Structures are given as structure tokens and as C-alpha cells.
Amino acid sequence: MVDKKLSGAGLRGQVAGETALCTVGKSGSGLTYYGYDIKELAEKVSFEEVAYLLANGELPKQAELDAYKARLKTLRGLPQALKDVLERIPADAHPMDVMRTGCSFLGNIEPEEDFSQADAKIERLLAAFPSILLYWYRFTHDNVRIETETDDDSIGAHFLHLLHDKKPSKLHTDVMNTSLILYAEHEFNASTFTARVCASTLSDLFSCVTGAIGSLRGPLHGGANEAAMDLIRDMKDADEAERTLMGMLERKEKIMGFGHAVYREFDPRNDIIKGWSEKLAQEFGDSRLYDVSVRCEDVMWREKKLFPNADFFHASAYHYMGIPTKLFTPIFVMSRVTGWTAHVKEQRANNRIIRPSADYIGPAPRQVPALANR
Ligand SMILES: CC(=O)SCCNC(=O)CCNC(=O)[C@H](O)C(C)(C)COP(=O)(O)OP(=O)(O)OC[C@H]1O[C@@H](n2cnc3c(N)ncnc32)[C@H](O)[C@@H]1OP(=O)(O)O
Ligand SMILES: O=C([O-])CC(=O)C(=O)O
């Protein structure tokens, strides 16, 4: 796998544009946002600082950060019309579909009327996504209409507070902060490219983000964190994990949460979230899921030279924090909206409509036969 040449299918390895936002698989640990290494960001800053960085190109000074966080707090409330829509989405809908609808509907009642409003709409979406998700989730699952305006200092804490109806511990707040930083941006991945294609038609921000959510939903992309949890949930111990994976590999099944379209040997986000998963396992007092995950990692590298991507250890980490599995990928949305929208702005600033060509493989030219002769 390490030596595999990238072929052109899926546009792999082809340059499809320029970006100043992010490097994937290049210098340092392999991932930087505006030149800052992901490891250093994950250690030293808050997700809100990263969101500000992606929106503005520089980290905020203290006063800028305070003002930014204060603004985001004021944008957590949802209009009644949106709450009405959320209440009509059934409990068994997929939460990614709820995010997609919530985003699209907000675009109807608070549209981006011209591009000068982009920054305000980006802040609105960033602040509103946890509220959209959890207003729907708590209404349909717990039969309560929650107040979505909390005074939590961070988006991660706000999310956990709305979910569990109490302020989260410092450990859980820190894990959410790191997780949101790790998921924020990743160059021309499928969902971001979707957003850029949409932006290149000069469409509005809500359309770009709605399309991106649709692309992120699939199990080959963001949906892999949920799929990874489905894989490990019932594994009793590491030996069972090994047996299950060996069987799956023999049957040539895909193991969700492993492999990557660009990284060849490791995903720099994995070690970081894996470390948090281990800490959470200790706090939880049951390391089964962590041990099972470590064995999966060992088996996949030994057998296929495949490594866990950002999604794999997120599964156990989120589970230890009591987050329902079907909410895993929407958390990715809550974070990646920063990267998507930064790319939309970058595309708009230097735009040409994205419209590639195709090699034709269909029939040679022919005449339309009469209906009776077909
Ligand atoms: C945050 C994110 O979005 S990270 C990605 C999340 N997605 C997943 O975890 C889903 C599982 N992984 C995958 O499906 C793939 O690795 C992708 C979609 C991430 C990348 O796809 P590609 O760029 O096509 O992968 P790549 O070219 O490295 O594949 C090489 C070979 O390894 C195999 N392979 C890759 N990943 C896996 C896997 N997870 N399980 C089993 N086999 C795999 C491929 O089938 C391919 O085999 P082949 O050459 O016989 O066809
Ligand atoms: O870059 C990719 O193809 C997928 C990925 O890891 C991400 O979007 O975070």
C-alpha cells in the first residue's frame, strides 16, 4: 500500500485548484492550517481560535477572540420557524439529514443576499449547528423543547451541555475542543470540493454548505466514524477484534476508519485523538473499546499496511463521553463548516466555474430506431 502509485481515478493526485488554507501530507506532521501544525494547534489553542484563523487567515488577539466568542454566543438561538421544521422531522431520521435540512431551511429564512454577508452567515451557521442538531434530537428522543441559548464558553461545551442537560467536565470539554480542531479543515476532500464546486457557480453559502453535508454523510468520508463504532461496539475483547477483522479482510470487506486518499503511512490526527481516547477509557473505568481499537490498528497495519484515519479513534472517544453513535458525523459538520466556508470564500475570491471534462466511453453515433423496432 505504501508504494502504491496514485492513479487518476477519483481525480486522485490531480491538482484541481489552489489553496492557502491547508496542507495535507506535506511538511511537519503532514497537516497544517495556514502554516500552523495540527499538533501544536491541538495542544495550545481553542477550537474558536482555529475557527477564527480559518475565517480570517490569522489567529485572533485576545480582544478579537473575546469579541468573536461573545458574538457566537448570541447566535445560538433558533427562530421559531426553524424549530417548527425540526419538530416535524421524525425521530428515526438520520441526524445528518437533520443537519442538511436545518442548514437549507436557515438559508430560506436568513438568506445570504450578497457576498458581503458571508462572514456573518458563517458565524451564524457555526453557532447554530449544535442547537439545530440537539433541538431536534432532544425533542424527538426526550420529548422536551430545550432552550438552545447557553452561556457555555466553547462550542464543544455547549454541544455536550445541550445533549446531557448539564455542564460537561473539564476533560470532556477538552476532548471536544481537540476533536473540533482536528476535524476543522482538510484541503480538497470530497465535501470541501463539493462546497467549492457549488461556490464556483456563484451560488449562496447555505447551498454550498448543504451540498457539503450531503457529501460528508457517506461512510467513505465523514460517515466512517459512525461506521467504525458499529464495527467495534459489540467486540468483547481484543482477540475477538482480531478474529473479526481477519475474517473481513479475507472476504475483502472494507474496514471503516482505515486508509486515506492522500496520507500513505499515517494520519497525523490519529495519534492525537487516540491519546484522548485512552484518557477517557481510564476515566470511564473500562478500556474494552480502547483495547479493541488498538488491536484493530495493529491487525490492519500488520496485514494490509493500512492505518487508522481521523475517524477511527473518534468512535471510542465519543462513545466514552456518552454521545449517541448517530450524532458522531454531525459533530464533524459542526467543525468542518469552518473549513468549508473558508474554501467558499477562497473560491469566490479567485473564481472560475469548475467544470472538468470526461473521456467518452459510450456507444458510437447511431440513429434513433422507430418505437416498434427497438
Ligand atoms: C475524515 C475522512 O473522511 S477519512 C476517510 C474515512 N473513510 C473511511 O475510513 C472508509 C474506509 N476507507 C476507504 O474506503 C479508503 O481508504 C478511502 C476512501 C479513505 C480512500 O480510498 P482510496 O484513495 O481509493 O484508497 P487507496 O487507493 O489507498 O486504496 C488502496 C487499496 O487499499 C484498499 N483499502 C483502502 N482502504 C481500505 C479499508 N479501509 N479496508 C480495506 N481495504 C482498504 C482499497 O480497496 C485498495 O485496494 P485495491 O488496490 O485492491 O483496490
Ligand atoms: O482528506 C480527505 O480525503 C478526507 C479527510 O481526511 C478529511 O476530510 O478530513
Side-chain angles (χ1 to χ4, degrees):
M1 213 69 50
V2 176
D3 299 326
K4 182 175 174 173
K5 288 237 170 11
L6 296 174
S7 66
L11 296 178
R12 194 75 72 264
Q14 299 182 39
V15 173
E18 295 180 329
T19 185
L21 283 158
C22 176
T23 60
V24 172
K26 295 197 173 73
S27 62
S29 73
L31 177 57
T32 60
Y33 299 168
Y34 273 119
Y36 295 112
D37 195 282
I38 191 70
K39 282 194 175 149
E40 208 182 346
L41 289 171
E43 266 167 34
K44 296 186 179 164
V45 307
S46 63
F47 170 60
E48 285 71 15
E49 286 166 89
V50 167
Y52 186 99
L53 169 71
L54 293 172
N56 299 286
E58 293 296 342
L59 286 166
K61 298 183 182 24
Q62 186 67 56
E64 289 168 333
L65 180 62
D66 293 346
Y68 182 61
K69 284 165 72 168
R71 262 198 324 278
L72 290 177
K73 271 190 202 180
T74 66
L75 297 170
R76 288 176 179 166
L78 302 180
Q80 190 56 47
L82 176 51
K83 290 183 191 173
D84 292 343
V85 166
L86 293 171
E87 288 186 15
R88 298 184 72 150
I89 302 177
D92 62 358
H94 195 285
M96 282 298 277
D97 298 341
V98 177
M99 297 298 263
R100 198 188 58 220
T101 297
C103 178
S104 179
F105 189 74
L106 201 58
N108 284 283
I109 54 177
E110 300 178 11
E112 185 194 29
E113 278 153 350
D114 69 73
F115 292 172
S116 69
Q117 297 176 345
D119 287 333
K121 300 302 170 187
I122 291 168
E123 289 181 6
R124 177 63 166 141
L125 275 174
L126 181 59
F129 269 138
S131 304
I132 289 172
L133 177 67
L134 290 167
Y135 186 86
W136 167 80
Y137 183 79
R138 299 290 312 281
F139 180 78
T140 52
H141 291 66
D142 299 337
N143 218 10
V144 288
R145 291 188 167 95
I146 57 164
E147 179 49 69
T148 60
E149 282 169 276
T150 72
D151 66 351
D152 294 292
D153 192 51
S154 67
I155 291 170
H158 171 62
F159 167 80
L160 290 174
H161 188 169
L162 294 186
L163 176 63
H164 296 311
D165 227 356
K166 60 175 197 283
K167 285 196 178 280
S169 66
K170 176 164 178 351
L171 174 63
H172 291 194
T173 303
D174 288 347
V175 178
M176 278 306 295
N177 184 60
T178 310
S179 166
L180 293 173
I181 290 174
L182 297 181
Y183 272 146
E185 163 53 14
H186 220 244
E187 201 219 39
F188 279 18
N189 61 84
S191 56
T192 300
F193 199 61
T194 302
R196 284 192 83 126
V197 170
C198 188
S200 82
T201 71
L202 301 183
S203 188
D204 71 292
L205 193 91
F206 292 91
S207 297
C208 298
V209 174
T210 302
I213 294 171
S215 288
L216 188 70
R217 186 192 195 295
L220 295 190
H221 191 9
N225 55 14
E226 179 179 336
M229 188 65 219
D230 292 339
L231 173 72
I232 62 174
R233 181 184 295 108
D234 298 325
M235 291 175 169
K236 281 197 302 295
D237 55 29
D239 289 342
E240 184 180 328
E242 173 137 6
R243 281 194 301 278
T244 306
L245 256 61
M246 292 301 286
M248 289 176 77
L249 290 175
E250 202 160 311
R251 294 190 297 277
K252 302 218 175 305
E253 291 174 29
K254 273 233 161 123
I255 319 289
M256 297 308 176
F258 284 86
H260 200 271
V262 180
Y263 298 125
R264 295 290 92 194
E265 294 186 38
F266 64 93
D267 181 330
R269 300 166 294 185
N270 177 55
D271 273 358
I272 302 171
I273 194 61
K274 182 181 174 187
W276 283 111
S277 173
E278 187 176 16
K279 280 201 186 80
L280 288 164
Q282 283 159 8
E283 180 217 46
F284 194 74
D286 177 358
S287 65
R288 176 185 65 89
L289 273 182
Y290 178 77
D291 297 340
V292 154
S293 301
V294 170
R295 182 68 72 87
C296 290
E297 181 177 17
D298 294 344
V299 171
M300 289 299 281
W301 185 254
R302 187 189 71 213
E303 298 296 323
K304 301 283 285 183
K305 293 286 174 281
L306 284 168
F307 51 87
N309 55 49
D311 281 327
F312 191 66
F313 276 90
H314 261 109
S316 50
Y318 286 164
H319 188 80
Y320 283 132
M321 292 194 289
I323 301 173
T325 306
K326 63 184 181 178
L327 302 188
F328 289 5
T329 315
I331 302 175
F332 201 150
V333 174
M334 286 163 37
S335 163
R336 186 58 61 88
V337 65
T338 58
W340 290 332
T341 50
H343 277 275
V344 168
K345 288 204 303 180
E346 194 179 50
Q347 181 69 35
R348 286 175 177 177
N350 183 18
N351 188 52
R352 187 176 193 194
I353 191 166
I354 298 174
R355 201 295 185 196
S357 305
D359 286 330
Y360 181 67
I361 55 165
R366 49 190 179 153
Q367 290 192 321
V368 177
L371 196 53
N373 298 336
R374 288 178 212 164

